[in-house]
DNA sequence: CCCAATAACTACCGAACGGTCGGATGTAAA
DNA sequence: TTTACATCCGACCGTTCGGTAGTTATTGGG
């Protein structure tokens, strides 16, 4: 194999992210990975099947660094930072672009997108359910995801990541306010970010990875 | 003229919204409005020019019903309701889809998208600047837009509008907390939605148009 | 009613699309 | 070295893409 499966999927992801489902072409993908188009079709049945692979890879990458050993708050922060960090790095969200673009004509792609966001939502809600009741946990998870995704608007338009940074700060600050206003912190020894009066005047929190 | 300019632009908007820039085809647009493809090119110079028209029409529709006579809070609410209402109705945001999809190969389209969101942002910030300082007004405007746009994620995935409803409620509740915690209300005589302790336990506010 | 102007049409262009096929090429065991 | 197998590739399919040229239909003013 001249090129590994993962390299192809990663290249496909970049295409889907920047061009959308309809705008990404198999020829373009073949050129990028240094193969011919026919060779791609001996690895993947069709274009639509690439969507599932792309989203599975992305899901794996997001949760690779997350473990629940440090408690719900640390896990929650790790997940949100992992997601928003990669979004700032790449400028757009593949899954969101596919959610918008893979319409009725690509039902398997749409199903993969649903699966991706459902997995993120479930994992977040599960993490939060240590601190709040399940219904509220799911609501917080849904809102957190949509707020992070929404912040990619300004990333896509003018590359501005400050809205994302602000969103992340607020989500974490709001998380500190959960569980009956108890004092919680992500890492012992981490300066600032107290939760005494957690809902106002949050201090400029730690920067996103790769964003000074 | 068999078909008015506005009908064509509205049909193009639907296509761009559901298929993205690359996925929307001139042939498809021609079929929908009952013209031949060549006729479209006698009205619009090219596909990219349609983007500007689509976003201008959308901008006009959004702000058609908004006036500043009732004070900043009423205007702010009117704008947010106008935007989120049309998003719930249509299930996606054209401008957001175009922001993601119209990439480097369509610079005029990208410029139009930037203009659209800049106009929304400016109008919102201008409205808010009656209550808070300009910098904070701009920040609130940016965040409000991105939160509303983000809520379209769940609309696109499974048609669920509850996240949008929740987002709208929170944005309005947070607006009530502005201007130094003064008591403000949108319309005198409107039941509920007080702002005495505005930042918690917001009551289920008025439904979006078309969402019982 | 005529004529000019506008609007819509038919027919076509080269390029790119997703996808397929049969043969060439590399590789590792026998 | 032969065999067997997976991989890759050149060439091609039918279709659709954005866009254009030249021609016909429609329409409003005189």
């Amino acid at each position: 194999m001249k090129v590994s499966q993962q390299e192809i999927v990663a290249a496909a992801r970049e295409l889907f992210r920047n061009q959308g489902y309809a705008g990404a072409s198999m020829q373009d993908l073949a050129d990028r990975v240094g193969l011919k188009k026919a060779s791609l079709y001996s690895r993947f049945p069709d274009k639509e099947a690439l969507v599932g692979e792309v989203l599975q890879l992305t899901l794996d990458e997001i949760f690779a660094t997350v473990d629940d050993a440090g408690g719900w708050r640390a896990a929650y922060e790790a997940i949100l930072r992992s997601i928003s960090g990669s979004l700032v790095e790449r400028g757009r969200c593949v899954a969101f672009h596919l959610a918008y673009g893979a319409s009725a004509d690509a039902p398997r792609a749409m199903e993969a997108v649903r699966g991706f966001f459902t997995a993120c939502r479930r994992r977040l809600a599960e993490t939060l359910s240590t601190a709040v009741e399940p219904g509220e946990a799911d609501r917080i998870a849904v809102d957190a995801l949509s707020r992070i995704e929404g912040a990619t608007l300004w990333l896509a338009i003018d590359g501005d990541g400050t809205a994302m940074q602000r969103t992340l700060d607020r989500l974490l600050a709001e998380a500190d306010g959960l569980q009956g206003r108890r004092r919680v912190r992500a890492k012992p020894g981490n300066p600032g970010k107290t939760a005494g009066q957690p809902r106002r005047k949050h201090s400029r929190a730690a920067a996103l990875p790769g964003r000074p």
Side-chain angles (χ1 to χ4, degrees), chain A residues 16 21 43-54 108-109 112:
Chain A
F16 282 141
Y21 181 75
R43 306 248 211 143
F44 306 93
D46 52 27
K47 183 182 175 183
E48 203 175 352
L50 276 168
V51 172
E53 302 289 331
V54 161
R108 303 199 309 276

Side-chain angles (χ1 to χ4, degrees), chain A residues 23-60:
Chain A
S25 86
M26 297 297 277
Q27 181 62 57
D28 202 350
L29 175 58
D31 291 345
R32 292 194 185 212
V33 299
L35 289 179
K36 298 300 171 185
K37 195 174 49 159
S39 304
L40 292 179
Y41 280 94
S42 68
R43 306 248 211 143
F44 306 93
D46 52 27
K47 183 182 175 183
E48 203 175 352
L50 276 168
V51 172
E53 302 289 331
V54 161
L55 294 180
Q56 186 58 55
L57 172 65
T58 304
L59 208 56
D60 292 344

